[in-house]
Amino acid sequence: MTNTEVNNQGAQEAPARKKRIFSAIQPSGQMTLGNYLGAIRNWVEMQDEFDCVYATANLHAITVRQDPKKLKENTLNLFALLIASGVDPEKSIFFHQSQVAAHAELAWVLGTFTQFGELSRMTQFKDKSARHADNINAGLFTYPSLMAADILLYQADLVPVGEDQKQHLELTRDIAERFNGIYGKTFVVPEPYIKKNAARVRNLLDPSKKMSKSDQNTKSYILMVDEPATIMKKFRSAVTDSEACVRYAEGKDGINNLMEIYSACTGKSYEQIEDEFRGKGYGDFKNAVGEAVVAVLEPIQIRYKELISDKKYLDELARNGAASAERLAKRTIEKVYKKVGLVR
């Protein structure tokens, strides 16, 4: 046997690089059950499969006028709640967006590669402009360039997207391809990551709309920090129908919503849920849904209370995460500055 054969036989294959995911959530107040089942829980599950970079998107938050003290409080609360939910700073890079200056730096450069017409077509800009007519600022308009910078800064392969973010990701891809076309391969062009069977949690009083804490009626949504008694009370007042039969079918939006929530919390299929509640009334079903939600959220709430009482520890975790993010971001921003001819 030759030395070459020995070396080849003894050589170990290098482990394949995990694909990188970037995702961020705005600290706009308390998270709902919809946020947890539709997004946060997926963040937790993705950590073992992907190289994850997560952030609180506090730079995005200031496109709407904020109370400074409240914004800082909401940012810290969100950070603690995500960790309590299972986001592990040992597995993922997790930090506050404002801690890494490269987000703002790259956003400015990418803004010069984003067309006015592209930004003017963004539906989120139109929606927010209508809701905040007294503060239609330039940041609100150029928001998608910052979102593109968030993603491209970390050379993310994948981005988890919901229906309301697909347009922004398409623009991010266009910007990356435009830059790459001019200066050569610089950015990874990210693909959408759409979780199969992701929970779609609807408004408890109007299931034609998604669950949102911006709804004026607090009975329409479940906050992740709601007390168990409050959760049970809200589910008991949830909209159903007059059929009094637990089954998933067209025209039964209220029951369909409750079944989706129950399925997401228990892992049971719709068929199993129908069998479980055959011959039982909606009162029994609503109680069961409430109890299943409490069982999921209560451990998170306990851990959240522990974490939020130790702000020094939370700050340390965020700083460590930001340092790791900074190392990745620095590679990209230096490459971009060099290619466009900026002195650094």
Side-chain angles (χ1 to χ4, degrees), residues 26-28 57-68 71-72 75 97-98 128 135 137-140 143 146:
Q26 281 197 49
S28 55
N58 54 348
L59 290 176
H60 286 289
I62 62 172
T63 57
V64 176
R65 197 67 63 231
Q66 300 280 347
D67 173 86
L71 175 59
K72 193 171 182 179
T75 302
Q97 184 189 28
S98 61
K128 285 195 173 183
N135 184 28
N137 58 72
L140 189 62
Y143 176 105
L146 176 56

Side-chain angles (χ1 to χ4, degrees), residues 145-343:
S145 296
L146 176 56
M147 184 175 285
D150 297 336
I151 298 164
L152 301 179
L153 193 58
Y154 300 102
Q155 306 292 354
D157 300 285
L158 300 165
V159 181
V161 290
E163 286 297 325
D164 58 340
Q165 298 296 339
K166 283 183 179 179
Q167 194 182 32
H168 284 154
L169 182 58
E170 281 305 313
L171 179 58
T172 298
R173 289 171 52 82
D174 290 343
I175 294 169
E177 288 170 348
R178 186 173 297 144
F179 193 98
N180 289 349
I182 297 170
Y183 296 105
K185 176 70 173 177
T186 307
F187 296 118
V188 171
V189 180
E191 296 287 342
Y193 179 76
I194 301 172
K195 182 79 173 177
K196 291 182 180 179
N197 303 320
R200 298 172 300 159
V201 181
R202 316 300 292 178
N203 185 301
L204 295 180
L205 301 182
D206 181 2
S208 67
K209 302 187 297 187
K210 73 175 184 178
M211 182 177 286
S212 172
K213 60 182 175 294
S214 63
D215 195 292
Q216 291 185 339
N217 193 329
T218 58
K219 291 181 180 179
S220 69
Y221 55 82
I222 304 292
L223 293 177
M224 288 184 68
V225 294
D226 274 344
E227 294 290 334
T230 301
I231 292 172
M232 295 302 295
K233 188 176 180 180
K234 287 182 178 181
F235 274 112
R236 289 184 188 120
S237 64
V239 165
T240 53
D241 54 53
S242 59
E243 189 184 22
C245 176
V246 177
R247 66 186 184 92
Y248 199 93
E250 189 175 344
K252 292 174 66 68
D253 294 349
I255 288 298
N256 292 349
N257 183 38
L258 294 180
M259 288 181 72
E260 288 179 18
I261 293 171
Y262 192 63
S263 174
C265 291
T266 64
K268 295 179 181 179
S269 68
Y270 297 151
E271 292 79 9
Q272 290 172 320
I273 296 169
E274 289 173 7
D275 287 342
E276 182 180 352
F277 293 95
R278 186 166 283 114
K280 296 181 181 180
Y282 285 164
D284 290 333
F285 181 49
K286 288 181 178 181
N287 282 334
V289 177
E291 288 167 0
V293 170
V294 168
V296 168
L297 293 184
E298 211 165 17
I300 295 173
Q301 293 173 353
I302 292 169
R303 178 60 177 149
Y304 169 72
K305 289 175 183 176
E306 292 172 353
L307 287 166
I308 206 64
S309 66
D310 192 350
K311 291 181 174 56
K312 185 177 179 181
Y313 174 63
L314 291 173
D315 287 342
E316 181 183 346
L317 290 178
R319 283 197 303 273
N320 290 343
S324 297
E326 184 76 52
R327 284 192 288 273
L328 291 178
K330 185 179 179 182
R331 297 176 201 163
T332 299
I333 200 71
E334 289 188 347
K335 185 189 297 184
V336 169
Y337 270 43
K338 183 177 180 180
K339 291 201 171 188
V340 299
L342 293 175
V343 177

